[in-house]
Amino acid sequence: MNPHLNVLATRSELNRAVAEAIVLFARRTVAERSAFHIALAGGSTPREVYACLAQEPYCNDMPWDKIHVYFGDERAVPPHHAQSNFGMAYAALLAKVPIPPDQVHRMRGEDKDPTNAAAEYEQVLKSCAPIANGWPSLDLVLLGVGTDGHIASLFPDTPAVHERASAVTAVQVSKLDTWRITITFPVLDNAKRVFVIAAGAEKATIVKNALDVPTEAQYPVQQLRSTGPVEWFVDNAAAAELTESTIATRM
Ligand code: 6PG
């Protein structure tokens, strides 16, 4: 489905817009199905969004007791490591809100065998998240996007981008000289909604390349085919290279 674009003037307006959209969708989903299953993004961009979600008014409006948190990907590090996506989300959000600890489903980045950690997390997803079309069915997946167009740890030219048999896989990212654990496209495309968050001038080119030119998918972020619209949230700096027509047609 065609991506929908939200351009916010500043980073703080971006953070608030994403937090508000998460709260609204979570409240509506819990009203309908008594639970909300959300996968958090890693990296640096979402940290400020999580900090915003941990504050008034968003924090009090979230039905935390009905929320299950998952992770889109994780680095091959322990949870307290500075590079840990769980560690980042825990410090910015999860330690500050009354979500039941057994509803936070962490990828075990500390496992010396990332393939084993990926297989374990596949079982977590399949036992904790609803299943639809034979795959875990998350309500919302939050994603950042790399300047190379990667999402989660689905990096260009890696086998993970083509993984269609497993919901979670381990991937050796040679350009980063590291292993990652990541959910795969069957799970991303089975999500009810996907939010892609991009901020800052360094993301302007990938945002343009991903949204402006309707070419066949060159970048992993362009391969998203979720059931609902892919919602992009970008600030003015990240939208700087978009043409007026793209902004008009995608908003
Ligand atoms: C990760 C993320 C990754 C991230 C992008 C953008 O583990 O790094 O899951 O997909 O979202 O690399 O990262 P920034 O937000 O730091 O630019």
Side-chain angles (χ1 to χ4, degrees):
M1 187 175 278
N2 272 338
H4 180 256
L5 175 64
N6 304 276
V7 180
L8 290 306
T10 65
R11 184 68 178 272
S12 55
E13 285 180 38
L14 168 71
N15 298 331
R16 287 197 299 273
V18 178
E20 185 177 341
I22 293 169
V23 170
L24 289 175
F25 190 40
R27 291 177 65 84
R28 194 173 77 216
T29 304
V30 166
E32 288 167 8
R33 286 186 276 110
S34 304
F36 183 65
H37 298 265
I38 177 174
L40 299 183
S44 56
T45 303
R47 185 198 308 269
E48 290 183 31
V49 173
Y50 301 157
C52 189
L53 201 53
Q55 294 165 4
E56 295 293 333
Y58 311 105
C59 175
N60 274 4
D61 290 346
M62 279 287 271
W64 294 110
D65 62 324
K66 299 284 193 289
I67 291 180
H68 282 254
V69 163
Y70 306 81
F71 288 82
D73 69 333
E74 187 53 275
R75 288 82 178 277
V77 294
H80 54 270
H81 190 281
Q83 285 294 310
S84 167
N85 287 335
F86 168 83
M88 177 273 286
Y90 185 79
L93 173 63
L94 301 173
K96 300 174 180 174
V97 295
I99 185 169
D102 63 352
Q103 290 174 205
V104 177
H105 308 289
R106 180 177 72 81
M107 290 178 167
R108 294 183 64 256
E110 67 274 24
D111 193 326
K112 293 300 173 215
D113 177 359
T115 304
N116 179 62
E120 273 184 4
Y121 202 73
E122 175 136 0
Q123 294 315 308
V124 167
L125 265 180
K126 289 181 174 177
S127 55
C128 298
I131 299 293
N133 314 309
W135 293 97
S137 170
L138 297 172
D139 294 301
L140 176 60
V141 177
L142 301 183
L143 296 170
V145 58
T147 53
D148 61 358
H150 78 263
I151 45 177
S153 283
L154 300 171
F155 283 83
D157 309 317
T158 63
V161 171
H162 307 291
E163 178 57 52
R164 293 280 163 183
S166 302
V168 186
T169 192
V171 52
Q172 187 170 19
V173 186
S174 46
K175 68 178 172 183
L176 300 177
D177 188 25
T178 186
W179 280 86
R180 297 279 188 96
I181 304 159
T182 184
I183 58 176
T184 58
F185 273 112
V187 175
L188 289 175
D189 292 346
N190 205 37
K192 292 194 174 40
R193 294 182 69 181
V194 174
F195 290 177
V196 179
I197 311 164
E202 71 277 8
K203 296 294 171 71
T205 300
I206 188 59
V207 168
K208 172 183 70 76
N209 289 342
L211 292 176
D212 235 3
V213 187
T215 55
E216 73 290 343
Q218 278 180 280
Y219 306 95
V221 70
Q222 288 176 304
Q223 295 176 26
L224 286 166
R225 295 287 180 275
S226 60
T227 41
V230 176
E231 290 277 349
W232 283 71
F233 293 84
V234 303
D235 63 3
N236 272 351
E241 295 181 23
L242 286 174
T243 60
E244 285 305 315
S245 64
T246 297
I247 292 174
T249 52
R250 297 256 194 233
M251 284 188 89

